[in-house]
Amino acid sequence: MARIPDAFIDELLARTDIVEVVGARVPLKRQGKEYSACCPFHDERSPSFTVSPTKQFYHCFGCGAHGTALSFLMNYDRLEFLDAVEELARRNGMEVPRETQQRNENNDTRDLFNALEAAARFFQRNLEGSEKAKAYLDGRGVDAAIRMQFMIGYAPDGYSALKDALGTDERRMKLLDRAGLFSKNDRGHVYDKFRDRVMFPIHDRRGRVIAFGGRVLQKDDGPKYLNSPETALFHKGRELYGLWQVKQANQKIARLVVVEGYMDVVSLFQFGVKEAVATLGTATTPEHAELLFRNAPDVYFCFDGDAAGQRAAWRAVESVLPRIKDGRQAFFLFLPDGEDPDTIVRQEGAEGFHARLKHAKPLSEFFFEQISVEIDTSTPDGKSKLAEKAKSLISGIPDGEFRDQMEQLNIRKTTNVQLSATALDFVNELAGKIGEDLRSVARGEIPKSYGKVVPTKQAATYRPQIPVAKRTLVRNIITLILQKPSLALAIESTHGFSALRQPGMDLLLELIDLARARPEVTTGAILENFAEREEIGALQKLALQKLPGDEDSWRQEVLDAAVQLEKQMLQQRLDELQAKQRNIGLDEADKYELRTLLQARIGRH
């Protein structure tokens, strides 16, 4: 699919009033030039969520959520990127640019969706005419309303029922084949892939059928579940069965429960647990983890308690860890041998299942249980092995409170440091405030600049002062251009300081180029551009700083800073040439350059 031009996205965001978009979903209160509210992405009692109309971005000081009007729609309304773009374009009377190739691809994709929808309706009609399929669902307690909600159907026995009904011409046959509904034998004969199975349509995040899962009615009739192959529309590592139904059933999704099978999801819904989704016959992938947390702050993984369940849970841990950040939590529930969510909810009802979820293991507990297997933590060598094993995995967790807690747990499990509960609370608070490494904090190695550590009794009310980052010329100009990108246009050329060796210079040059190439770019759009980069944390802090003065004074400050950077660049080159002169001497070209630079320095002074 053709990429939407950055220029269009910038213009779209420039025309969009982020306050209007957010305010339609969250009650905002004006505070000076900005607006505030309780964050819609995590539970809080006092407002820490800020929307800036001038910078066109939102930021939560509690959980760190941030972005533009586009990312807000994606996270709050749970839209895909293209859907969010189309929604904002519609609001602003703009047409999303589509190239000829993209239009052709869209037509082809639409035909595939239509073919899958027709197949789903075919299977639904056949369920009504199959007594044995209805008897199976009746026996599992699946009523008519749930069957309709999940569009459950039945694929007739025989090799050509679907083909005969829908493959009316060669083009339709090719579409159905590309949709994953046919199989082919060694002789090239094409036949229905799904036969004599209860059919579970798999929906995408817009409610469109993209694939199917089929379950046998009798245990000995081939594999228990048969899934559609991967197609242009369906990638099993990126989709979750039941997510569409969860989104329709819940105005706000507080948590998601990840189970293994289609019937587990359906049965949980039948008994009122309308938060269940299933991976599609594959381990939890990083894409699954991101999709789960995009839709809910808390995710519960429900597995069998056997060795296979433990392995599946650990694969989920590996996918989830790099995506855990403030406001996100993961838990693990292991069921008794021989039980699954379907049987548990039938025996214990929704209340029993919810009670089990309350006793699910937090990610941190399961994490340390698993990495401690086959390690004797009673010995110094064992503690060292555990510390290193944990450290390598924890290093992949984004910076934030959860990572701090995991590092602290690692310390407690691998050192002899014993902390009282109150002292532990103090360490947590202090670490969160000053961003110190938990290893030094837990051992009492608090930097002197943070003041004297008060006695334990006073820990609850202690508030260390956060040191302000050192202001530099480069940092100042980055802050100004970040908050007012059009200021970059005041700099005629970066040639005079582009080779200056100073911290942040590469970032400054990139920001200037970005602002020049995309004149409509906003602060929020710049932050989105750096969302996956290591600089994002620093840029967020700079974007939130209050700038004194007005636009005219900021422009003059940028111009003055550019002149100062050019002087520093000149001095840097002079130092290089003079050092070379002392060490090995200068050739004629070097001597000419040195004279020119000295004259330029005199002229600048």
Side-chain angles (χ1 to χ4, degrees):
M1 182 176 290
R3 185 173 179 270
I4 299 176
D6 288 334
F8 176 81
I9 298 297
D10 292 338
E11 183 182 358
L12 178 65
L13 291 174
R15 290 196 194 183
T16 298
D17 182 357
I18 191 171
V19 174
E20 182 181 330
V21 172
V22 177
R25 294 158 176 82
V26 179
L28 296 175
K29 183 178 180 180
R30 190 179 186 101
Q31 289 190 335
K33 295 181 179 180
E34 298 178 340
Y35 294 79
S36 68
C38 286
C39 181
F41 302 117
H42 81 287
D43 293 328
E44 62 178 4
R45 294 182 181 179
S46 57
S48 62
F49 181 81
T50 300
V51 180
S52 171
T54 54
K55 301 171 188 175
Q56 283 295 299
F57 82 106
Y58 65 89
H59 180 86
C60 176
F61 292 90
C63 69
H66 68 278
T68 62
L70 269 178
S71 56
F72 184 83
L73 286 181
M74 292 171 67
N75 290 313
Y76 189 87
D77 289 359
R78 298 187 285 277
L79 298 179
E80 294 299 297
F81 174 74
L82 186 57
D83 298 329
V85 170
E86 290 176 343
E87 170 65 16
L88 287 185
R90 182 187 62 77
R91 292 168 61 98
N92 288 283
M94 299 171 67
E95 183 177 351
V96 180
R98 302 189 184 279
E99 300 174 1
T100 303
Q101 179 188 358
Q102 187 177 8
R103 285 198 296 270
N104 292 338
E105 289 175 350
N106 286 343
N107 290 336
D108 188 53
T109 300
R110 186 164 51 248
D111 290 340
L112 276 175
F113 278 124
N114 290 338
L116 287 158
E117 186 71 26
R121 291 196 298 268
F122 171 80
F123 294 139
Q124 282 184 292
R125 289 194 301 270
N126 277 276
L127 175 62
E128 295 306 311
S130 172
E131 293 302 322
K132 65 177 181 179
K134 288 191 291 185
Y136 169 80
L137 292 171
D138 289 341
R140 303 295 295 266
V142 182
D143 64 23
I146 293 294
R147 296 178 199 182
M148 183 65 67
Q149 185 177 8
F150 284 86
M151 294 179 65
I152 297 173
Y154 170 68
D157 202 359
Y159 285 86
S160 62
L162 178 69
K163 185 172 70 169
D164 292 344
L166 301 182
T168 53
D169 55 40
E170 185 177 354
R171 181 175 175 277
R172 291 284 290 180
M173 285 283 289
K174 288 181 178 180
L175 273 174
L176 294 169
D177 184 42
R178 289 173 52 214
L181 293 167
F182 291 154
S183 293
K184 186 182 294 185
N185 63 18
D186 294 339
R187 299 178 182 177
H189 179 69
V190 175
Y191 57 91
D192 290 354
K193 183 177 186 65
F194 297 100
R195 304 179 305 281
D196 194 24
R197 289 176 179 266
V198 174
M199 298 298 291
F200 300 89
I202 300 164
H203 297 81
D204 68 4
R205 278 143 272 181
R206 294 173 65 180
R208 300 171 297 187
V209 178
I210 56 174
F212 293 92
R215 191 194 191 285
V216 295
L217 299 174
Q218 302 295 329
K219 291 183 178 180
D220 299 329
D221 292 345
K224 182 177 179 180
Y225 282 105
L226 182 64
N227 295 325
S228 291
E230 299 214 346
T231 66
L233 302 181
F234 175 56
H235 302 277
K236 63 183 180 181
R238 303 177 191 169
E239 304 294 340
L240 294 166
Y241 177 72
L243 182 57
W244 167 251
Q245 285 79 9
V246 171
K247 290 166 69 173
Q248 298 309 299
N250 300 275
Q251 185 173 6
K252 183 177 180 180
I253 305 173
R255 68 183 180 190
L256 285 172
V257 181
V258 183
V259 296
E260 295 190 70
Y262 301 102
M263 277 306 305
D264 291 327
V265 172
V266 171
S267 292
L268 287 170
F269 262 77
Q270 180 71 62
F271 281 84
V273 183
K274 299 183 178 181
E275 307 150 333
V277 297
T279 54
L280 300 165
T282 184
T284 305
T285 65
E287 290 82 2
H288 284 147
E290 188 58 45
L291 182 57
L292 287 164
F293 282 124
R294 190 189 301 169
N295 285 277
D298 294 348
V299 177
Y300 289 74
F301 292 93
C302 185
F303 295 107
D304 294 341
D306 58 13
Q310 296 282 329
R311 288 194 297 271
W314 184 251
R315 286 195 289 270
V317 168
E318 291 175 324
S319 293
V320 163
L321 274 180
R323 285 152 189 85
I324 287 284
K325 55 187 179 184
D326 294 350
R328 293 179 173 185
Q329 299 183 92
F331 302 87
F332 292 84
L333 172 63
F334 296 97
L335 300 179
D337 289 346
E339 303 287 358
D340 56 31
D342 179 23
T343 60
I344 290 290
V345 78
R346 290 175 189 283
Q347 296 168 15
E348 304 176 2
E351 289 186 6
F353 190 78
H354 287 311
R356 287 181 178 271
L357 289 177
K358 288 181 181 178
H359 293 93
K361 293 180 181 180
L363 171 59
S364 56
E365 181 180 338
F366 179 65
F367 174 88
F368 282 103
E369 277 184 6
Q370 290 299 298
I371 66 170
S372 300
V373 173
E374 298 181 356
I375 294 179
D376 182 2
T377 56
S378 65
T379 67
D381 183 56
K383 288 180 181 291
S384 177
K385 287 180 179 178
L386 178 63
E388 289 306 311
K389 191 173 182 181
K391 183 179 178 181
S392 64
L393 291 165
I394 293 172
S395 64
I397 303 174
D399 290 338
E401 182 180 346
F402 179 76
R403 176 167 172 170
D404 291 344
Q405 291 174 351
M406 292 291 281
E407 288 178 337
Q408 180 182 321
L409 281 170
N410 193 25
I411 295 165
R412 294 175 65 195
K413 291 177 180 293
T414 57
T415 70
N416 294 320
V417 176
Q418 298 296 322
L419 298 174
S420 67
T422 308
L424 205 53
D425 289 341
F426 171 58
V427 168
N428 277 334
E429 179 183 344
L430 190 60
K433 294 288 184 185
I434 65 179
E436 278 291 315
D437 179 77
L438 264 292
R439 292 181 181 275
S440 60
V441 175
R443 295 188 177 101
E445 298 169 6
I446 310 297
K448 294 180 181 179
S449 59
Y450 293 104
K452 184 178 179 181
V453 177
V454 297
T456 301
K457 291 181 180 179
Q458 302 175 29
T461 58
Y462 179 69
R463 292 292 185 273
Q465 296 295 314
I466 304 174
V468 178
K470 182 180 178 181
R471 293 179 64 86
T472 67
L473 198 61
V474 173
R475 179 186 292 271
N476 286 350
I477 195 169
I478 286 175
T479 305
L480 288 165
I481 291 175
L482 176 62
Q483 295 202 23
K484 192 68 177 176
S486 60
L487 294 175
L489 303 178
I491 301 174
E492 293 184 4
S493 172
T494 60
H495 179 71
F497 56 84
S498 60
L500 183 62
R501 293 188 298 274
Q502 277 199 16
M505 182 55 63
D506 289 342
L507 177 60
L508 172 59
L509 295 171
E510 187 174 354
L511 280 176
I512 293 173
D513 289 343
L514 178 63
R516 284 177 170 177
R518 297 159 57 179
E520 300 291 340
V521 74
T522 62
T523 302
I526 290 176
L527 292 177
E528 288 292 327
N529 190 76
F530 284 87
E532 302 300 323
R533 300 263 298 271
E534 63 180 357
E535 299 95 333
I536 185 59
L539 288 175
Q540 285 174 10
K541 292 176 183 177
L542 296 179
L544 294 168
Q545 286 186 5
K546 302 293 184 183
L547 295 179
D550 54 24
E551 189 171 344
D552 288 339
S553 65
W554 299 337
R555 181 175 289 101
Q556 189 58 51
E557 190 172 346
V558 167
L559 291 172
D560 291 344
V563 171
Q564 291 301 315
L565 291 177
E566 288 178 356
K567 288 182 178 180
Q568 292 179 14
M569 173 74 181
L570 186 151
Q571 186 61 50
Q572 174 182 291
R573 183 56 182 157
L574 275 173
D575 293 342
E576 290 172 352
L577 288 171
Q578 288 171 345
K580 183 178 180 181
Q581 185 178 39
R582 289 192 300 270
N583 294 328
I584 61 174
L586 302 178
D587 58 24
E588 290 304 316
D590 290 336
K591 291 176 182 178
Y592 176 79
E593 183 183 0
L594 179 59
R595 288 194 298 271
T596 303
L597 292 175
L598 288 170
Q599 291 170 0
R601 186 173 66 174
I602 293 171
R604 287 178 182 272
H605 289 289

